[in-house]
Amino acid sequence: MQQTDVIVVGAGISGLTAAWRLACAGKRVQVLEANERVGGRTLNHGLSTGDVVELGGQWVGPTQDRILGLLGELNLSTFPLWNQGDNLTFFGGRLKPYRGTIPRFSPLVLLDVLQAQMRFERLSRQIPLDDPARHPRAEEWDSMTFAEWIRRTLKTAQGRKVFELMSGAVFAASPHDLSFLHVLFYVQAGSGFDCILGVENGAQQDRIQGGSQRICLELAARLGDAVRLGQPVRALRQDGQGVELLTDSGRYQAGRVILAVPPTQLLRITQAPLLPGWRDQMLQRQPQGASIKCMAHYQRPFWRERGLSGQATSEVGPVRLTFDNSLPGSAGGVLLGFIEGDEARHWSMRSEDERRAVVLECFARYFGQEALAPLEYVDKCWADEPFARGCYAACFPPGLWTTGAARLREPHGRLHFAGTETATRWMGYFDGAVEAAERAVAEVLAAG
Amino acid sequence: MQQTDVIVVGAGISGLTAAWRLACAGKRVQVLEANERVGGRTLNHGLSTGDVVELGGQWVGPTQDRILGLLGELNLSTFPLWNQGDNLTFFGGRLKPYRGTIPRFSPLVLLDVLQAQMRFERLSRQIPLDDPARHPRAEEWDSMTFAEWIRRTLKTAQGRKVFELMSGAVFAASPHDLSFLHVLFYVQAGSGFDCILGVENGAQQDRIQGGSQRICLELAARLGDAVRLGQPVRALRQDGQGVELLTDSGRYQAGRVILAVPPTQLLRITQAPLLPGWRDQMLQRQPQGASIKCMAHYQRPFWRERGLSGQATSEVGPVRLTFDNSLPGSAGGVLLGFIEGDEARHWSMRSEDERRAVVLECFARYFGQEALAPLEYVDKCWADEPFARGCYAACFPPGLWTTGAARLREPHGRLHFAGTETATRWMGYFDGAVEAAERAVAEVLAAG
């Protein structure tokens, strides 16, 4: 039996930040991580050249002050995603180059997308971030899927596809998976439409030297022995004295516990006393999105030679969104593609060879036949990750916010809840993970 | 280590039916039940007079041939729900009596409800029950919540409320929780609008002598030692040889396993090898509905003296639906009320005393002040039930059917899936539980 002040469950960014802040505040803290690695939904991968890319979350950007502050504390530096040259769209069977964020659609489609974006942002800006349910029209928007709003608001087929792409890019989910209120909230929590979708001045602007998992690796190094790997918490029991946690191979005790795991994982921890029915029911309604992150490594970034940025958006799947993920200072080129939502579930059933073939075909469609012959290919199906079971974050379906989802942030006895899904700004992002950690730490410290 | 041919997880109607059919077919079978009782989502309750009422599912009706057949096999008889006298509606602040299934709304509201019902049934009848996703318009209907369809189809506020009531009564869920495609499917699987909602010739027609839990008690008696109580399965491991299951206090082995538990419970069993990502993701998208079943026991069924049936529907909660649940041959009277969906989650947070007060107020609103003074009151919050975590059944949100939910019925290696959520007729009902059991048994027997 191990005793300590606070146990943090989950060694992702949220859990490790919480543990580190508590340790700095003089608390005896222990971190229990289910996997044999730290990082949560960040995961570095070494290419054959030794260059490091990420199979999980990778970007930071402006207004993400909490994660940027943490990077500073950890002496981690950032560098910009490659963002020069023409972007491509593949719509209506044709490849078209464009600059900036708005593809060269026909004037009709362009007007349609812009009017919808304006309507979206007018609503989005009104959402109270601490609890979207407080908006007077919350009930209406929370009883509607994003798919329904798209169908009603966009007048052109191509315009609708642009918003479907956005749903995949931002949520790793299809529009039918999402409450429209949640989409309004999430985009506003991410500083608005242009910021959450953008590269320059946006959420995809910067990358982290050495790979984003370094955030967790650095925090874990500072925490030392306090981090226990391979300790999936299966059961916990709390009473007036403290909390006892049971892993596959150990039993731990603490005064308080911060649970920094995705909502669907909370369901899988047997609790005594039983988690109240309403909490369990709400966690049942927070499924993870699904994404397969795919990368091909080439001798050189050949698309740049043709003035292309490596960024493509497409109405044809399975890879509908790509980026140039090459490393500065390295001769090689890396194309990054995402398979999202329903398509991610579908392609996760296939072999890696089949995925490799279809992903490279997509890359070739956008960037030419050279894309078919990479030095190496790697992908990661996050739905298959044992203690994440999806990504980027939980997708709130209709009805969740307006029936009290904000209350899931509240402590339950000696349990406190962190993780990016409990954040009010940049939910689903690194920044939200840090916000959630700091709120949970404040609760624990206030409790004495 | 215990060895056997087939282990069935879950001693509800589906699990025990499967086990009994397998035993009859000569298989060595064992049932592992998490609770210290059999019954699943059926649960008898003895009133102070000794009369038995049910805190869980209780009704059977026409076209439910599988459960009616099973009742015959088990020598269990049925009796009709009390269905004489005037029904009541409480809409627009006024109580109005009516006969039959259609309340006395204003002609405008009536026309509105009837046109919507006709439109609903015209669509519902077209749904392929084996897989609703096969309908040509499945994508459209599966990207829409039932709330959205109601808002678009019903022209009157009262008409909308009628359909909201239906959602609560049939799904224990609010319209925003449900895919419209799922509602179309579910109603058709329940023999149509009038049948699924009706008392006479409907799904609420008949009750089971001695209480519906007797189905499971009788099956368990026949299975004898094969049923182990208090054995929550926490982990399972399958390989080419068989399956090993781990409970809190035991380790069991079998050639094949039938999992007859609600979908959200499947998520909570740690599996090796890991459940494929798509299955996990789909189970994350099958939350249970929420219902609180409330009963007040009176000296006599006083409402009958005023020519009332005990059936009320109301636009004012929390009890919006009531029945006369008295036992024939008993002098006492029993009023039964349901609190559904969001309201069930809300009221499950309150004390039983608070619930008693508000439920009796509802009963008094419909049936007079005598309702405030019962001999006894009892209720059951199914969201708080440790191994059900809700009822009546899983509520499919938008996007689930059209991304392959029907495939969840397919075996996974040596695992077979039963439970009413895997049925194609009367999903969510006893009858669906039996259908699912018989399908799973056929799979196991075919596998040899």
Side-chain angles (χ1 to χ4, degrees), chain B residues 89-162:
Chain B
T89 52
F90 189 81
F91 274 74
R94 291 169 56 205
L95 207 55
K96 285 194 204 167
Y98 69 99
R99 297 260 162 155
T101 52
I102 299 178
R104 274 176 27 201
F105 294 116
S106 75
L108 198 69
V109 173
L110 203 59
L111 270 173
D112 191 29
V113 171
L114 287 176
Q115 65 86 17
Q117 181 179 343
M118 275 177 60
R119 286 174 67 171
F120 184 96
E121 290 194 286
R122 201 178 55 235
L123 307 183
S124 184
R125 273 193 293 268
Q126 304 168 21
I127 303 293
L129 293 182
D130 63 325
D131 188 358
R134 290 200 292 106
H135 192 281
R137 291 177 67 190
E139 292 268 355
E140 178 191 345
W141 297 334
D142 200 33
S143 70
M144 188 190 295
T145 63
F146 189 34
E148 193 57 32
W149 183 84
I150 291 172
R151 191 156 53 220
R152 287 164 51 157
T153 310
L154 278 293
K155 312 298 179 202
T156 64
Q158 284 208 357
R160 285 193 279 273
K161 282 174 183 161
V162 171

Side-chain angles (χ1 to χ4, degrees), chain A residues 348-368:
Chain A
S348 74
M349 297 182 221
R350 315 290 281 270
S351 71
E352 191 183 315
D353 278 350
E354 289 175 291
R355 280 198 304 274
R356 179 193 153 106
V358 77
V359 168
L360 296 181
E361 269 168 43
C362 290
F363 287 168
R365 189 198 297 147
Y366 312 135
F367 305 110

Side-chain angles (χ1 to χ4, degrees), chain B residues 244-365:
Chain B
E244 187 178 289
L245 296 99
L246 202 69
T247 69
D248 287 345
S249 56
R251 195 177 285 272
Y252 298 83
Q253 264 194 342
R256 294 192 169 264
V257 166
I258 294 177
L259 292 158
V261 300
T264 183
Q265 296 305 317
L266 287 178
L267 283 179
R268 306 173 197 213
I269 299 172
T270 302
Q271 293 202 27
L274 207 62
L275 204 60
W278 70 270
R279 273 196 194 263
D280 194 287
Q281 283 253 329
M282 294 222 146
L283 294 173
Q284 289 181 43
R285 286 161 172 78
Q286 297 201 348
Q288 287 287 305
S291 181
I292 307 177
K293 196 175 182 189
C294 312
M295 275 176 277
H297 181 204
Y298 301 94
Q299 210 111 38
R300 51 180 224 296
F302 57 87
W303 52 91
R304 295 185 189 173
E305 295 157 17
R306 286 187 285 126
L308 298 176
S309 67
Q311 291 169 44
T313 49
S314 168
E315 66 171 344
V316 180
V319 174
R320 295 166 188 261
L321 187 65
T322 71
F323 294 94
D324 178 338
N325 219 25
S326 311
L327 280 306
S330 166
V334 180
L335 281 177
L336 160 62
F338 290 97
I339 304 178
E340 314 275 24
D342 305 331
E343 288 180 316
R345 281 186 287 277
H346 175 77
W347 284 97
S348 74
M349 298 182 221
R350 315 291 281 271
S351 70
E352 191 185 314
D353 278 351
E354 289 175 290
R355 280 199 303 274
R356 179 194 153 107
V358 77
V359 168
L360 295 181
E361 268 168 43
C362 290
F363 287 167
R365 189 198 296 148

Side-chain angles (χ1 to χ4, degrees), chain A residues 143 145 148 151-152 268 274-275 277-278 280-281 284-285 288-289 342 345 349 384 389 403 407, chain B residues 143 145 148 151-152 268 274-275 277 280-281 284-285 288-289 342 345 349 384 389 403 407:
Chain A
S143 70
T145 62
E148 193 57 31
R151 191 155 52 219
R152 285 164 52 157
R268 306 172 197 214
L274 206 62
L275 204 61
W278 71 269
D280 194 285
Q281 284 252 328
Q284 289 180 43
R285 286 162 173 77
Q288 287 288 306
D342 305 331
R345 280 186 288 277
M349 297 182 221
D384 291 335
R389 286 315 212 164
T403 59
R407 290 197 57 194
Chain B
S143 70
T145 63
E148 193 57 32
R151 191 156 53 220
R152 287 164 51 157
R268 306 173 197 213
L274 207 62
L275 204 60
D280 194 287
Q281 283 253 329
Q284 289 181 43
R285 286 161 172 78
Q288 287 287 305
D342 305 331
R345 281 186 287 277
M349 298 182 221
D384 290 335
R389 286 317 212 161
T403 58
R407 290 197 57 192

Side-chain angles (χ1 to χ4, degrees), chain A residues 298-443:
Chain A
Y298 301 94
Q299 210 111 38
R300 52 181 223 295
F302 56 86
W303 52 92
R304 294 186 190 173
E305 295 158 15
R306 287 187 285 127
L308 298 176
S309 67
Q311 291 168 45
T313 49
S314 168
E315 65 171 344
V316 180
V319 174
R320 295 167 189 260
L321 188 64
T322 71
F323 295 94
D324 178 338
N325 219 26
S326 312
L327 280 306
S330 167
V334 179
L335 281 178
L336 160 61
F338 291 97
I339 304 178
E340 314 276 23
D342 305 331
E343 288 179 317
R345 280 186 288 277
H346 175 76
W347 284 97
S348 74
M349 297 182 221
R350 315 290 281 270
S351 71
E352 191 183 315
D353 278 350
E354 289 175 291
R355 280 198 304 274
R356 179 193 153 106
V358 77
V359 168
L360 296 181
E361 269 168 43
C362 290
F363 287 168
R365 189 198 297 147
Y366 312 135
F367 305 110
Q369 295 301 305
E370 275 176 277
L372 293 176
L375 300 173
E376 59 192 316
Y377 170 84
V378 60
D379 67 25
K380 175 87 185 163
C381 301
W382 281 88
D384 291 335
E385 183 71 4
F387 300 101
R389 286 315 212 164
C391 73
Y392 314 115
C395 297
F396 288 27
L400 198 68
W401 275 119
T402 48
T403 59
R407 290 197 57 194
L408 285 173
R409 278 179 221 129
E410 294 172 11
H412 170 57
R414 297 174 167 274
L415 308 182
H416 301 262
F417 300 93
T420 191
E421 280 88 353
T422 66
T424 63
R425 291 222 61 206
W426 289 106
M427 180 190 279
Y429 290 76
F430 298 167
D431 195 67
V434 177
E435 180 205 297
E438 292 177 347
R439 191 234 332 116
V441 165
E443 289 166 10

